[in-house]
Amino acid sequence: MLGTKALTEVRARLGLSQEHMARLVGVSFASVNRWEAGHSSPTGPTLDLYQALAAAIRAGHSPVTIRLAANAERGAFLLALFRMAYSKTRRASR
C-alpha cells in the first residue's frame, strides 16, 4: 500500500498536476486530491497503476519516458508501463 506521501511523490516525480495525474490513472481530480490529503486511498486497479508508476521510476525510467508512454492508447500505455516497472532488464531511458 502506498501512503499519502508516496502518492504525492509519484505525481511530483512525474512532473504532473493533480488534474493531469487524475487523467493518467483514469479517475477524477477530486479522487487524487482526497488521496493526497489522506482522506481516502486508491484501491484495486488504480492502486496497481500507482504501484507500477512507482516501480517504473525506481527501475530508472525517466518521467519523460513514462509520460510519453501515457500518451499512447490506454492498452499500449499499460503494457509499456508494466514492462518498464517489472521487466528484469533495466533500461535507463532518459
Side-chain angles (χ1 to χ4, degrees), residues 3-70:
T4 300
K5 184 177 177 182
L7 296 173
T8 304
E9 186 176 314
V10 166
R11 181 180 59 77
R13 293 280 308 269
L14 292 174
L16 298 174
S17 66
Q18 287 184 339
E19 183 177 339
H20 285 105
M21 188 65 176
R23 279 192 229 136
L24 180 81
V25 298
V27 298
S28 68
F29 160 80
S31 291
V32 172
N33 186 268
R34 281 192 306 266
W35 298 335
E36 291 188 9
H39 299 295
S40 62
S41 299
T43 60
T46 306
L47 178 58
D48 294 340
L49 191 51
Y50 263 99
Q51 290 172 331
L53 289 165
I57 292 166
R58 281 193 311 272
H61 295 280
S62 75
V64 171
T65 300
I66 296 167
R67 287 193 315 264
L68 286 174

Side-chain angles (χ1 to χ4, degrees), residues 63-87:
V64 171
T65 300
I66 296 167
R67 287 193 315 264
L68 286 174
N71 289 333
E73 184 269 325
R74 187 73 174 169
F77 163 60
L78 294 174
L79 178 61
L81 175 62
F82 280 84
R83 280 185 177 160
M84 283 188 265
Y86 304 115
S87 160

